[in-house]
């Protein structure tokens, strides 16, 4: 956040121009002042660039522009977090002498911050400075400053849901057209006290994710008049929205035609950019048209004017190939139940109060290590929740040359591994999130990977608010009737936003993931026939051999599979077993 | 590389490998195939690419990337296989921005083997941290 300089006594005169990020400068640093002064000069003399003049003209013609043009006021309540949002809102609303509509109320460090639009309201709020007695017995400061576009501090779940709601109101499912024009003045958002201009990158990112996740089939998007100057955040549309043919971006602040490059690859046929500053750079219409067609070769309607048919060669289109994520990779039917059964049992035991029984899953000389770090798009950036594993995280990037530390953090021998697990806080894995990838399969060894989310308990027994995303790699060898882990690497991070949304409430009663479904670690032998049938299906063995194999393993399908797997890998099964 | 101290060998090889691998991925993609054994296999978000050629072809079709590593861990695999060649299991995590997509966190594992003077990948497994597809 911008630090508020409380020593500063003077009140800046209201200004209308925006910084690059849309903030009014509040630090008063000399550089920023210089920039604003020079802009002031631009605005007050006739040196205005032509697009500015045009924009002012359009603004005058269009009463709705006033929304963005008008000045905002930023209200800061030091210590507002302590007083509580309810208290601050209630006290200010009841004492303010004119109707109070707060926008983008949020807590930042210890302060409460919100924005108001009306000059009179702002003045009335200012008068409340040091008049309200807080629950702590102190007087509440109310600091008012002018501001341009309100900050959108972070996209909380509440804001995201409001955005989704607004977008679904603005999406026509029949024509597959999405109207995002002047998004910030959407009534449903304003009524919730949210002012969310699309020129804020975090707002645009959220909107773009909603499009790519929920309506990648969109045919037309009208994104005009949003004061956007940076379209980088729209780039995912070019990858995900293969049907997007109509894009209206009129009245934004795009300065150069090359700023549109991130959108290359969109199959646009209809486009509008009228009113964007870059459109005024061209003396000849033809130059403008060819600059646009260089990026979008199939455009036939530009700024509502029909163009001559394009000359397009299909080979010219840039092909972007990012394969879709696939479910668990378990190609071998004969080994799938063995791996999945193992994974199921392993995590079942891991989540229990006593992790001692896991000893049997490890080889005498097992090696184990845990590493952790934060990644992009995770809740970490919002909550700053630390991944604290008592210095046990074996992340080489944090200990580049300390070979001794690397050695100390490698847990050696299964007794030490179990000891490590006994000290690890209790966990609750969500089997619904599991992906199991089998990457190496040999008679003597297998390597597979399990990823998903889990909930971690604090030492005091309560759960950490954020889910953990993990990835565990197991190297296993056959041992007795089952498998034994010889190597395990466990990586933990805070779940990404998408994972948090998908698995917020992990409940053991949910149906297990497709990876886990279809296997049986049944101990209940009421349905031997079912076990037998699935065992026969998986092994392709005949009834007699299947029954023998199961009998010898106490009808434990997992051990039976292990034996089967070993025998078949070493080619010790007679051909008549499969007749 | 010393066979007597497999932990130190795997640690060194793991860290060096991780740095070189992602540097090559980002800036010398066409060379990346050489890091893989002929019979290597790559699982990329559950998509299977078998053999050096297929892996090379896949990488060259992938949009330009910018990768930032945030974590590397490596262990020696001592179980006997591949004629007792020194082998390491490496787990790397980072953020990758594929051109046209938002930056995304991933974890990638490698089984790498020492082939005399150089190390080659036998298995690679890449997954974004994302909900199960």
């Amino acid at each position: 956040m911008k630090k508020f300089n409380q020593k500063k006594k003077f009140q800046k005169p209201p200004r209308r121009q925006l910084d690059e990020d849309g903030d009014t400068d509040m630090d008063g640093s000399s550089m920023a002042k210089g920039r604003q002064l020079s802009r002031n000069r631009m605005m007050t003399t006739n040196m205005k660039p032509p697009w500015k003049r045009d924009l002012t003209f359009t603004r005058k013609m269009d009463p709705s522009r006033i929304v963005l043009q008008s000045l905002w006021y930023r209200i800061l309540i030091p210590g507002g977090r302590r007083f509580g949002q309810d208290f601050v809102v209630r006290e200010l609303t009841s004492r303010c002498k004119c109707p109070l509509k707060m926008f983008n109320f949020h807590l930042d460090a210890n302060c409460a911050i919100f924005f108001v639009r009306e000059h009179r309201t702002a003045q009335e709020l200012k008068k409340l400075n040091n008049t309200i007695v807080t629950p702590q017995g102190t007087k509440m400061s109310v600091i008012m400053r002018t501001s341009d576009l309100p900050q959108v501090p972070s996209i909380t779940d509440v804001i995201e849901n409001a955005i989704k709601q607004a977008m679904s109101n603005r999406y026509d499912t029949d024509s597959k057209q999405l109207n995002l024009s002047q998004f910030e003045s959407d009534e449903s958002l304003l009524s919730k006290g949210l002012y969310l201009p699309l020129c804020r990158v975090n707002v645009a990112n959220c909107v773009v994710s909603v499009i790519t996740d929920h309506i990648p089939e969109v045919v037309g998007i009208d994104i005009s008049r949003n004061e956007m100057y940076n379209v980088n955040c729209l780039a995912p549309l070019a990858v995900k929205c293969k049907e997007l043919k109509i894009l209206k971006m009129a009245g934004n602040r795009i300065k150069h035609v090359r700023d549109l490059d991130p959108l290359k690859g969109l199959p646009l046929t209809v486009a509008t950019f009228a009113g964007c500053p870059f459109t005024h750079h061209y003396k000849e219409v033809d130059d403008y048209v060819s600059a646009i067609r260089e990026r979008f070769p199939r455009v036939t309607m530009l700024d509502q004017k029909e163009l001559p048919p394009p000359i397009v060669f299909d080979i010219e289109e840039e092909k972007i190939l990012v394969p879709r994520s696939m479910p668990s990779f378990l190609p071998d039917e004969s080994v799938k139940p063995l791996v999945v059964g193992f994974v199921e049992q392993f995590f079942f035991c891991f989540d229990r109060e006593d992790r001692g029984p896991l000893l049997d899953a490890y080889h005498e000389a097992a090696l184990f290590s845990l590493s952790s770090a934060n990644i992009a798009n995770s809740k970490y950036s919002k909550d700053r929740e630390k991944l604290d594993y008592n210095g046990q995280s074996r992340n080489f990037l944090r200990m580049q040359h300390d070979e001794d530390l690397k050695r100390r953090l490698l847990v050696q021998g299964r007794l030490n591994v179990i000891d490590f697990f006994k000290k690890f806080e209790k966990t609750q894995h969500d089997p619904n999130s599991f992906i199991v990838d089998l990457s190496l399969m040999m008679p003597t060894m297998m390597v597979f990977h399990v990823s998903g989310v889990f909930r971690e308990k604090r030492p005091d027994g309560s759960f950490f608010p954020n889910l953990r995303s993990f990835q565990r790699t197991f190297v296993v060898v056959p041992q007795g009737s089952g498998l034994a882990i010889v190597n395990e690497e466990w990586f933990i991070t805070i779940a990404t936003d998408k994972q948090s949304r998908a698995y917020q409430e992990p409940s053991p009663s949910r149906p297990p993931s497709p990876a886990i479904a279809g296997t049986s670690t049944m101990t209940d032998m009421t349905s031997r026939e079912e076990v037998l049938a699935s065992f026969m299906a998986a092994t392709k063995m005949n009834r007699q051999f299947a029954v023998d194999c199961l009998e010898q393993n106490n009808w434990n399908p997992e051990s039976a599979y292990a034996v089967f797997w070993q025998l078949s890998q070493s080619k010790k099964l007679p051909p008549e077993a499969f007749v | 590389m010393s066979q007597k101290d497999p932990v130190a060998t795997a640690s060194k090889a793991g860290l060096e490998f991780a740095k070189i691998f992602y540097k090559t991925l980002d800036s010398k993609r066409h060379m990346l195939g050489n890091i893989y054994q002929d019979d290597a296999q790559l699982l990329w978000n559950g998509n299977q690419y078998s053999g050096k050629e297929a892996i090379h072809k896949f990488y060259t079709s992938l949009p330009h990337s910018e990768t930032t590593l945030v974590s590397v861990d490596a262990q020696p695999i001592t179980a006997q296989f591949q004629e007792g060649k020194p082998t390491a299991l490496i787990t790397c995590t980072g953020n990758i921005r594929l051109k046209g997509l938002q930056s995304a966190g991933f974890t990638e594992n490698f089984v790498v083997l020492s082939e005399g003077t150089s190390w080659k990948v036998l298995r690679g497994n890449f997954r974004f941290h994302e909900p199960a597809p």
Side-chain angles (χ1 to χ4, degrees):
Chain A
M1 71 169 275
K2 295 209 176 215
K3 284 253 167 62
F4 210 92
N5 188 351
Q6 295 204 21
K7 286 179 194 156
K8 212 165 60 179
K9 291 283 185 224
F10 68 90
Q11 171 88 47
K12 277 190 194 168
R15 290 202 184 102
R16 290 196 167 165
Q17 63 281 10
L18 305 176
D19 278 348
E20 273 306 291
D21 58 357
D23 279 331
T24 311
D25 168 59
M26 278 180 286
D27 297 333
S29 70
S30 57
M31 272 193 44
K33 262 185 195 164
R35 196 169 66 221
Q36 292 212 334
L37 278 175
S38 70
R39 283 195 189 190
N40 260 348
R41 228 171 278 136
M42 289 251 281
M43 300 296 279
T44 48
T45 65
N46 279 332
M47 297 292 284
K48 278 183 205 171
W51 61 270
K52 280 269 184 187
R53 274 200 298 270
D54 276 29
L55 208 62
T56 325
F57 179 68
T58 1
R59 282 179 173 184
K60 273 182 194 153
M61 296 296 287
D62 180 356
S64 57
R65 285 318 307 165
I66 293 162
V67 175
L68 263 187
Q69 213 183 0
S70 61
L71 192 70
W72 286 79
Y73 301 87
R74 179 180 189 260
I75 312 294
L76 179 123
I77 316 285
R81 185 185 288 274
R82 254 185 307 132
F83 313 147
Q85 178 166 353
D86 288 349
F87 176 82
V88 172
V89 173
R90 190 180 63 233
E91 290 296 317
L92 291 179
T93 313
S94 64
R95 288 165 194 261
C96 185
K97 289 197 176 122
C98 50
L100 173 56
K101 179 75 189 165
M102 300 180 181
F103 289 96
N104 297 7
F105 188 103
H106 62 278
L107 301 170
D108 194 341
N110 291 321
C111 305
I113 297 167
F114 64 92
F115 295 83
V116 297
R117 213 187 244 172
E118 308 295 333
H119 177 72
R120 227 190 102 214
T121 316
Q123 292 302 327
E124 289 298 332
L125 285 172
K126 201 177 162 192
K127 286 182 197 159
L128 296 177
N129 186 26
N130 290 333
T131 62
I132 299 169
V133 180
T134 65
Q136 284 76 15
T138 54
K139 293 271 177 70
M140 186 165 92
S141 305
V142 179
I143 301 171
M144 186 270 281
R145 287 283 188 275
T146 57
S147 159
D148 274 297
L149 289 188
Q151 293 165 310
V152 183
S154 69
I155 304 295
T156 58
D157 291 346
V158 173
I159 294 184
E160 187 178 320
N161 287 333
I163 287 177
K164 280 186 185 160
Q165 184 59 49
M167 287 175 72
S168 74
N169 295 342
R170 287 161 162 263
Y171 185 60
D172 178 4
T173 42
D174 292 334
S175 64
K176 296 181 183 164
Q177 303 242 15
L178 178 65
N179 181 3
L180 295 174
S181 63
Q182 287 182 287
F183 190 66
E184 80 290 337
S185 42
D186 187 281
E187 272 310 317
S188 76
L189 295 174
L190 294 178
S191 68
K192 294 185 180 89
L194 295 173
Y195 188 82
L196 305 174
L198 271 184
C199 56
R200 290 291 193 199
V201 171
N202 54 356
V203 176
N205 276 341
C206 177
V207 166
V208 168
S209 302
V210 174
I211 297 173
T212 53
D213 288 355
H214 299 280
I215 47 165
E217 70 277 12
V218 64
V219 169
I221 300 180
D222 181 352
I223 204 163
S224 49
R225 292 181 296 167
N226 278 299
E227 303 266 321
M228 290 183 84
Y229 48 89
N230 178 354
V231 300
N232 274 327
C233 44
L234 302 182
L237 300 179
V239 182
K240 299 276 175 66
C241 302
K242 296 293 178 205
E243 304 299 319
L244 186 54
K245 297 201 167 69
I246 306 166
L247 184 64
K248 297 179 180 170
M249 301 209 59
N252 283 295
R253 298 200 285 140
I254 300 158
K255 285 191 185 134
H256 300 284
V257 72
R258 64 169 181 271
D259 294 343
L260 297 172
D261 287 352
L263 297 176
K264 267 187 184 176
L266 279 177
L268 298 184
T269 55
V270 178
T272 53
F273 299 105
C276 291
F278 80 87
T279 60
H280 302 277
H281 295 176
Y282 301 97
K283 286 182 188 139
E284 303 292 332
V285 177
D286 280 358
D287 294 342
Y288 172 46
V289 172
S290 46
I292 293 298
R293 276 195 166 166
E294 210 177 284
R295 276 125 192 124
F296 312 106
R298 293 170 195 277
V299 167
T300 51
M301 184 78 100
L302 180 61
D303 295 344
Q304 290 163 345
K305 287 186 201 81
E306 203 151 333
L307 304 178
I311 301 164
V312 181
F313 303 100
D314 278 338
I315 45 165
E316 281 183 1
E317 274 187 68
E318 199 179 336
K319 290 231 161 62
I320 299 175
L321 297 168
V322 180
R324 217 155 43 92
S325 295
M326 303 301 278
S328 294
F329 183 82
L330 291 162
D332 194 316
E333 281 302 321
S334 71
V335 81
K336 181 176 168 177
L338 174 66
V339 173
V340 173
F342 182 87
V343 169
E344 224 175 28
Q345 274 200 347
F346 182 91
F347 286 96
F348 175 75
C349 292
F350 199 89
D351 283 348
R352 294 185 67 168
E353 205 57 39
D354 175 20
R355 293 190 176 119
L358 281 174
L359 189 69
D360 291 337
Y362 286 85
H363 189 274
E364 281 286 321
L367 296 180
F368 167 87
S369 55
L370 166 78
S371 56
S372 62
N374 291 303
I375 55 167
N377 302 319
S378 82
K379 288 268 186 188
Y380 168 74
S381 52
K382 291 170 196 166
D383 296 354
R384 311 263 163 211
E385 194 174 287
K386 286 219 175 83
L387 290 160
D388 181 20
Y389 296 111
N390 304 319
Q392 298 292 319
S393 169
R394 192 170 183 256
N395 180 352
F396 290 178
L397 299 183
R398 303 246 175 96
M399 50 184 90
Q400 303 244 357
H401 304 296
D402 192 342
E403 299 304 322
D404 282 345
L405 184 58
K406 288 177 192 170
R407 190 186 306 278
R408 271 207 307 282
L409 294 181
L410 181 65
V411 184
Q412 306 199 33
R414 65 173 177 177
L415 291 171
N416 291 325
V417 176
I418 298 307
D419 199 45
F420 185 98
F421 289 162
K422 283 184 177 164
K423 288 177 192 147
F424 197 89
E425 296 303 336
K426 293 291 164 269
T427 51
Q428 190 185 341
H429 287 79
D430 186 347
N432 212 30
S433 68
F434 281 13
I435 302 171
V436 184
D437 290 321
L438 176 62
S439 65
L440 181 73
M441 195 173 65
M442 302 195 323
T444 51
M445 183 168 125
M446 278 201 293
V447 179
F448 55 86
H449 317 267
V450 184
S451 54
V453 300
F454 69 92
R455 218 165 250 285
E456 184 181 327
K457 275 193 177 167
R458 292 193 178 100
D460 68 5
S462 65
F463 280 113
F464 279 108
N466 287 322
L467 289 171
R468 305 286 183 251
S469 177
F470 73 93
Q471 213 267 14
R472 287 173 101 141
T473 296
F474 299 95
V475 180
V476 299
V477 296
Q479 180 172 278
S481 65
L483 302 170
I485 302 164
V486 286
N487 291 83
E488 181 188 352
E489 286 181 4
W490 186 11
F491 175 79
I492 306 180
T493 187
I494 300 210
T496 59
D497 293 341
K498 283 185 183 173
Q499 287 176 313
S500 304
R501 282 197 292 272
Y503 305 113
Q504 206 35 254
E505 293 294 327
S507 86
S509 63
R510 275 201 200 172
S513 79
I516 306 295
T519 64
S520 42
T521 48
M522 271 187 259
T523 46
D524 162 31
M525 283 305 142
T526 50
S527 51
R528 284 194 175 190
E529 269 307 313
E530 275 178 42
V531 175
L532 181 61
S534 66
F535 190 68
M536 284 169 67
T539 59
K540 309 276 186 303
M541 285 202 297
N542 64 31
R543 194 176 174 91
Q544 191 51 51
F545 273 82
V547 169
D548 284 353
C549 189
L550 282 166
E551 283 287 349
Q552 284 163 20
N553 291 284
N554 275 333
W555 285 83
N556 178 341
E558 201 197 323
S559 340
Y561 280 120
V563 171
F564 167 78
W565 180 62
Q566 270 179 274
L567 292 175
S568 72
Q569 288 291 315
S570 47
K571 306 206 167 18
K572 282 183 184 152
L573 283 167
E576 56 267 32
F578 302 97
V579 180
Chain B
M1 291 277 188
S2 160
Q3 274 268 60
K4 284 177 193 157
D5 188 352
V7 174
T9 306
S11 300
K12 276 189 194 138
L15 186 56
E16 284 307 305
F17 171 84
K19 288 178 180 171
I20 289 169
F21 182 87
Y22 293 102
K23 203 172 151 191
T24 312
L25 177 76
D26 289 353
S27 56
K28 286 184 275 178
R29 191 74 70 76
H30 60 286
M31 306 285 283
L32 202 56
N34 297 333
I35 290 182
Y36 288 84
Q37 284 196 345
D38 290 344
D39 58 346
Q41 175 194 273
L42 167 67
L43 292 177
W44 202 85
N45 285 312
N47 296 278
Q48 183 190 23
Y49 302 95
S50 292
K52 189 173 163 175
E53 282 307 305
I55 294 170
H56 172 77
K57 209 175 138 199
F58 161 71
Y59 277 125
T60 44
S61 77
L62 205 63
H64 176 74
S65 60
E66 285 170 31
T67 314
T68 319
L69 274 179
V70 297
S71 176
V72 177
D73 184 14
Q75 301 174 359
I77 298 178
T78 48
Q80 280 298 308
F81 85 121
Q82 295 270 333
E83 297 136 22
K85 288 173 188 166
T87 308
L89 174 67
I90 308 172
T91 295
C92 304
T93 297
N95 297 309
I96 186 166
R97 183 189 293 278
L98 291 166
K99 192 183 170 209
L101 295 178
Q102 287 175 9
S103 185
F106 69 91
T107 294
E108 187 164 17
N109 320 102
F110 301 93
V111 176
V112 298
L113 277 87
S114 169
E115 298 267 333
T117 51
S118 63
W119 291 70
K120 298 245 181 198
V121 181
L122 176 65
R123 288 294 184 268
N125 180 62
F126 177 103
R127 280 279 179 189
F128 284 128
H129 286 265
E130 63 180 0

